[in-house]
Amino acid sequence: RSSQQGADSGDGSPSSAAAETPSSEDFSLSLLDTNLPAEAETELRSFIAKRLTKGALFEGMGNVASVGLSIPEYNVGCYYCRFQQENLLEMATLESDINTPEYVVCFLGGSEKEDTFRLELDKYIQSLKINLDLEQKSLETSVNPYLRSWFEDAICPIQRVVQLFQEKLTFLLHAALSYTPVEVKNADERTEKDISRFLAAASLQGLVQEGTMTSLCIAMTEEQHKSMIIDCSGPQPQLHNAGSNRFCEDWMHAFLNSAEGGNPFLFRQILENFKLKAIQDINNLKRFIRQAEMNHYALFKCYMFLKNCGSGDILLKIVKVEHAEMPEARNVVTVLEEFMRE
């Protein structure tokens, strides 16, 4: 059982509770902070207690589930994560009999779509772990404000970037897809972070081979000798050395057509669909190239695919890097490059 009991105080994290020994039933949950009504908080506490009893919460790894709350009387998406303070975690490893308190943080949203932001929220909790000092003064001065801003800081960056760039979003999507280095100038700290997060979320990192990505980054840097420059000194960002293609323009319109509702989860879903389509196109092209090694008609199919897909410029660079060590495929790519140039 946790010896450390927290006091109630209203903050913006929909709920945050302390927990101990989650693998057994001998634990208590004491409320540290919430902005939920009492009845809903009790229901959420009951949900978390059941998960803890089953041993279903692993330290530092967030989960997303649908939770039925009587207020506002429908299911809400709940991200929840169990963790210990960094310094206490080390002490507990050294002296395993120390009774160290553990914590569960819950963030509630309108639906289970928080799942698309789970990695961002995991990073958010990691930051909290490092800075957490649960003396009361620290709770009020740093932990509460940090928890209060979870939605703005972890969920809204993509939405803010869409609203800031408008039609110029096409250049940002192109830079992310082509691994073009980007420099941001004259921007405030939040805008710079937002752009960086958008580029990371829109890139194919983790979806293409690590070696391919490294080679692409090197190739793009060498080829252009210039980064794309984003100057945020005016009301609208000014872009220099920017590239675009039809594929990115089409997806830019998909973002802008959804901008009126202002739903950050929808923007993230569009971004995931954008990446999924790019990966499908890469895989299709690779399949055509394998066929084209032995078949001239397949070579023509490759060429037509590159012409019509809207992102032939980027796809060709990606497959060129991936097939650099494969002579037959490299020859096909060389022929395609010549055709595309003509």
Coordinates of all heavy atoms in Angstrom, one line a residue, residues 19 27 37 42 49 92 107 110 113 181 195 206-207 210 217 220 227 290 294 302-303 321 325:
A19 N -0.8 4.6 -7.3 CA -1.1 3.2 -7.1 C 0.1 2.4 -6.6 O 1.2 2.9 -6.8 CB -1.5 2.6 -8.5
F27 N -3.5 -3.2 -2.9 CA -3.0 -1.8 -3.2 C -4.2 -0.9 -3.0 O -5.4 -1.3 -2.9 CB -2.6 -1.7 -4.7 CG -3.6 -1.9 -5.7 CD1 -4.5 -0.9 -6.1 CD2 -3.8 -3.2 -6.2 CE1 -5.5 -1.1 -7.0 CE2 -4.8 -3.4 -7.2 CZ -5.6 -2.4 -7.6
P37 N -16.0 15.3 -12.4 CA -16.9 15.3 -11.3 C -16.7 14.0 -10.5 O -16.2 13.0 -10.9 CB -18.3 15.2 -12.0 CG -18.0 15.6 -13.4 CD -16.6 15.3 -13.7
T42 N -15.0 8.4 -9.5 CA -15.1 7.1 -8.9 C -15.2 5.9 -9.9 O -14.6 4.9 -9.7 CB -16.4 7.1 -8.0 OG1 -16.3 8.2 -7.1 CG2 -16.5 5.8 -7.2
A49 N -8.6 0.4 -11.2 CA -8.3 -0.6 -10.1 C -8.4 -2.0 -10.7 O -7.6 -2.9 -10.4 CB -9.3 -0.5 -9.0
A92 N 14.3 1.8 -5.9 CA 13.6 0.6 -5.8 C 14.4 -0.6 -6.4 O 14.3 -1.7 -5.9 CB 12.3 0.7 -6.5
F107 N -5.7 10.4 -19.2 CA -6.2 11.5 -20.0 C -7.4 11.0 -20.8 O -7.4 10.0 -21.5 CB -5.1 11.9 -21.1 CG -3.8 12.4 -20.4 CD1 -2.6 12.0 -20.9 CD2 -3.9 13.4 -19.4 CE1 -1.4 12.5 -20.3 CE2 -2.7 13.9 -18.9 CZ -1.5 13.4 -19.3
G110 N -12.6 12.5 -26.5 CA -14.0 12.2 -27.0 C -14.2 10.8 -27.5 O -15.3 10.3 -27.6
K113 N -9.8 7.5 -30.3 CA -8.8 7.9 -31.3 C -7.5 8.4 -30.6 O -6.6 8.7 -31.3 CB -9.4 9.0 -32.2 CG -10.4 8.4 -33.1 CD -11.1 9.5 -33.9 CE -12.2 8.9 -34.8 NZ -13.2 9.9 -35.2
P181 N 16.1 18.1 -45.6 CA 16.3 18.8 -44.4 C 15.6 20.1 -44.3 O 15.4 20.8 -45.3 CB 17.9 19.0 -44.4 CG 18.4 18.6 -45.7 CD 17.3 17.9 -46.4
I195 N 6.3 22.4 -35.9 CA 6.7 22.0 -37.3 C 7.6 20.8 -37.2 O 7.4 19.8 -38.0 CB 7.5 23.2 -37.9 CG1 6.5 24.4 -38.1 CG2 8.2 22.8 -39.2 CD1 7.2 25.7 -38.5
G206 N 10.4 4.4 -39.7 CA 9.8 3.2 -39.1 C 9.0 2.4 -40.0 O 8.7 1.3 -39.8
L207 N 8.7 3.0 -41.2 CA 7.9 2.3 -42.2 C 8.7 1.8 -43.4 O 8.3 0.9 -44.1 CB 6.7 3.2 -42.7 CG 5.7 3.6 -41.6 CD1 4.7 4.6 -42.2 CD2 5.0 2.4 -41.0
E210 N 15.6 1.1 -42.1 CA 16.5 2.1 -41.5 C 17.6 2.5 -42.4 O 17.9 3.7 -42.5 CB 17.1 1.5 -40.2 CG 17.6 2.5 -39.2 CD 16.4 3.4 -38.7 OE1 15.3 2.9 -38.4 OE2 16.7 4.6 -38.5
C217 N 18.5 10.4 -46.5 CA 18.8 11.6 -45.9 C 20.1 12.2 -46.4 O 20.2 13.4 -46.7 CB 18.9 11.5 -44.3 SG 17.3 11.1 -43.6
M220 N 19.6 13.3 -50.2 CA 18.9 14.5 -50.3 C 19.7 15.7 -49.9 O 19.7 16.8 -50.5 CB 17.6 14.5 -49.4 CG 16.5 13.5 -49.9 SD 16.1 13.8 -51.7 CE 15.2 15.4 -51.6
S227 N 18.9 23.3 -47.5 CA 17.7 22.8 -46.8 C 16.5 23.7 -47.3 O 16.7 24.7 -47.8 CB 17.9 23.1 -45.3 OG 19.1 22.4 -44.8
R290 N 10.6 -5.5 -60.0 CA 11.0 -6.9 -60.0 C 10.5 -7.5 -61.3 O 11.3 -8.3 -61.9 CB 10.4 -7.6 -58.8 CG 11.2 -7.4 -57.5 CD 10.9 -8.5 -56.4 NE 9.5 -8.5 -56.1 CZ 8.9 -7.7 -55.2 NH1 9.7 -6.8 -54.5 NH2 7.6 -7.8 -54.9
M294 N 12.7 -8.7 -66.1 CA 12.6 -9.8 -67.1 C 11.6 -9.4 -68.2 O 11.4 -10.2 -69.1 CB 12.2 -11.1 -66.4 CG 13.2 -11.5 -65.4 SD 12.5 -12.8 -64.3 CE 11.4 -11.9 -63.3
C302 N 5.8 0.3 -65.1 CA 6.6 1.1 -64.1 C 6.5 2.5 -64.5 O 6.2 3.4 -63.6 CB 8.0 0.7 -64.1 SG 8.4 -0.7 -63.0
Y303 N 6.8 2.8 -65.7 CA 6.9 4.2 -66.2 C 5.5 4.9 -66.1 O 5.4 6.0 -65.6 CB 7.4 4.2 -67.7 CG 7.3 5.5 -68.3 CD1 7.9 6.7 -67.9 CD2 6.4 5.7 -69.5 CE1 7.8 7.9 -68.5 CE2 6.3 6.9 -70.1 CZ 6.9 8.0 -69.6 OH 6.8 9.2 -70.2
V321 N 17.7 4.2 -54.0 CA 18.6 4.0 -52.8 C 18.4 2.5 -52.4 O 19.4 1.8 -52.1 CB 18.1 4.9 -51.6 CG1 18.7 4.5 -50.3 CG2 18.6 6.3 -51.9
E325 N 22.4 -1.8 -54.5 CA 23.3 -3.0 -54.5 C 22.8 -4.1 -55.4 O 23.3 -5.2 -55.4 CB 23.5 -3.5 -53.1 CG 23.9 -2.5 -52.1 CD 25.3 -1.9 -52.5 OE1 26.2 -2.6 -52.9 OE2 25.5 -0.6 -52.4

